Amino acid sequence: MYLELFNIIAPVVVCAAIGYGWARLGFPFETPFVTILVTNVATPCLVVATLTKLNVAAETFGQMAGAAALALLIFMVIGAAVLSVAKLSLHSFLPAMMFGNTGNMGLPLALFAFGEEGLALAIAVFAVNATTQFTIGALISSGTVSVRRLVRTPVIWAVALALVFMFTGTKPPIFIANTLTLLGNIAIGLMLLALGVSLARLKVGSIKHTILLSLFRLTMGFSVGYGIAYVLDFEGAKRGVVILACSMPVAVFNYLFAQRYGRAAEEVASVIVTSTLISFATLPLLLLVVL
């Protein structure tokens, strides 16, 4: 079991550490370019390639998407209540409490823990998170919602295309499938490198404040994920991926939104870094539960 845990955790930590060291050594890493490449090209290709290759049942995909949506709703309600009691800005911190890192960390961990099946299931969760973050998340941070931003989110169109193949039982031509696989394969590695670079560049502010919010996010995420998997009677990879995805630390995109709309960006960055470091330290325990 310990060797299995090591084999799952080591690739994620090593890749993120390479990104961290790369940034600390001052080597160039164009985060905006990498973010655009991963978001607009690599991840959409990964979504279509994975879902069409594995023949994931539409019912299973729907169950995972429904579980992800339910989790986000619970996160929003609990997060809003706790932040209101703590007299912290909902505009600044509620998105951070809602949206975990189901992309950079969630997809690789699901892949290494549960194989290609786990990756496909995690993509359903990631798709719901990405869609919601660019709509409800943007609405909370900015006070307005942009339909244009949603329409211009490639992951949404990738999921829609993959669902067409899934429902019709067809597959893309071989040359297209091979191209999608080739481009999709760069997504996981770049996500982890970008995560490491972000950890190196983001600064940690108020320690006590940051640690409390980080612990709250991680504890809430695990509890909600475990509860949803239990109530929905999920087993095997479905159970593991739901718990794993809900337990992820705060997503880096929350910092980008906070920075764009002037919502306590430095404090949000602190929560991202701290929750990620705590998550890395507790990964063995989390994987023992989901496995």
Side-chain angles (χ1 to χ4, degrees):
M1 174 60 77
Y2 293 110
L3 180 60
E4 183 179 1
L5 292 177
F6 178 80
N7 289 336
I8 295 170
I9 297 171
V12 175
V13 174
V14 168
C15 290
I18 290 174
Y20 180 88
W22 187 273
R24 296 296 293 179
L25 289 172
F27 293 135
F29 190 94
E30 298 296 331
T31 300
F33 166 73
V34 173
T35 301
I36 292 173
L37 178 64
V38 170
T39 303
N40 294 345
V41 179
T43 301
C45 288
L46 178 68
V47 168
V48 179
T50 302
L51 295 180
T52 55
K53 186 194 313 179
L54 295 181
N55 293 319
V56 177
E59 180 183 0
T60 300
F61 189 91
Q63 290 174 344
M64 294 299 294
L70 177 59
L72 286 173
L73 177 60
I74 297 173
F75 291 156
M76 183 171 64
V77 172
I78 297 177
V82 171
L83 291 173
S84 297
V85 171
K87 297 181 180 179
L88 293 173
S89 169
L90 297 184
H91 289 297
S92 298
F93 296 104
L94 184 55
M97 298 300 101
M98 290 176 60
F99 301 107
N101 201 338
T102 56
N104 297 55
M105 277 186 68
L107 295 182
L109 284 171
L111 172 63
F112 296 136
F114 301 103
E116 293 288 341
E117 178 190 6
L119 177 60
L121 297 175
I123 282 175
V125 178
F126 170 69
V128 172
N129 272 262
T131 303
T132 310
Q133 186 159 30
F134 279 91
T135 51
I136 296 176
L139 172 62
I140 295 171
S141 295
S142 66
T144 59
V145 64
S146 171
V147 176
R148 183 182 179 186
R149 187 187 299 116
L150 176 64
V151 172
R152 294 175 63 183
T153 304
V155 170
I156 297 174
W157 294 105
V159 171
L161 178 60
L163 288 175
V164 170
F165 286 115
M166 289 166 61
F167 278 113
T168 59
T170 58
K171 291 183 178 295
I174 294 177
F175 80 94
I176 293 180
N178 289 342
T179 303
L180 291 171
T181 300
L182 190 63
L183 290 172
N185 284 340
I186 70 175
I188 299 291
L190 282 178
M191 283 179 177
L192 289 173
L193 289 174
L195 175 62
V197 171
S198 297
L199 292 178
R201 291 177 176 174
L202 297 178
K203 305 300 181 183
V204 177
S206 173
I207 297 298
K208 181 180 179 180
H209 182 79
T210 297
I211 290 177
L212 289 176
L213 281 177
S214 299
L215 290 174
F216 166 65
R217 172 63 184 91
L218 294 172
T219 303
M220 175 181 65
F222 174 79
S223 301
V224 170
Y226 192 93
I228 288 176
Y230 177 80
V231 170
L232 297 181
D233 198 27
F234 282 177
E235 296 181 351
K238 287 169 62 177
R239 171 185 177 273
V241 169
V242 166
I243 297 174
L244 197 63
C246 288
S247 303
M248 288 297 94
V250 179
V252 176
F253 258 110
N254 291 299
Y255 169 73
L256 300 179
F257 279 125
Q259 187 179 49
R260 177 183 299 177
Y261 300 116
R263 302 293 187 182
E266 290 185 3
E267 293 182 63
V268 173
S270 296
V271 179
I272 292 170
V273 174
T274 305
S275 64
T276 302
L277 294 177
I278 295 174
S279 182
F280 275 136
T282 57
L283 264 181
L285 293 176
L286 176 60
L287 289 171
L288 280 174
V289 173
V290 301
L291 293 175

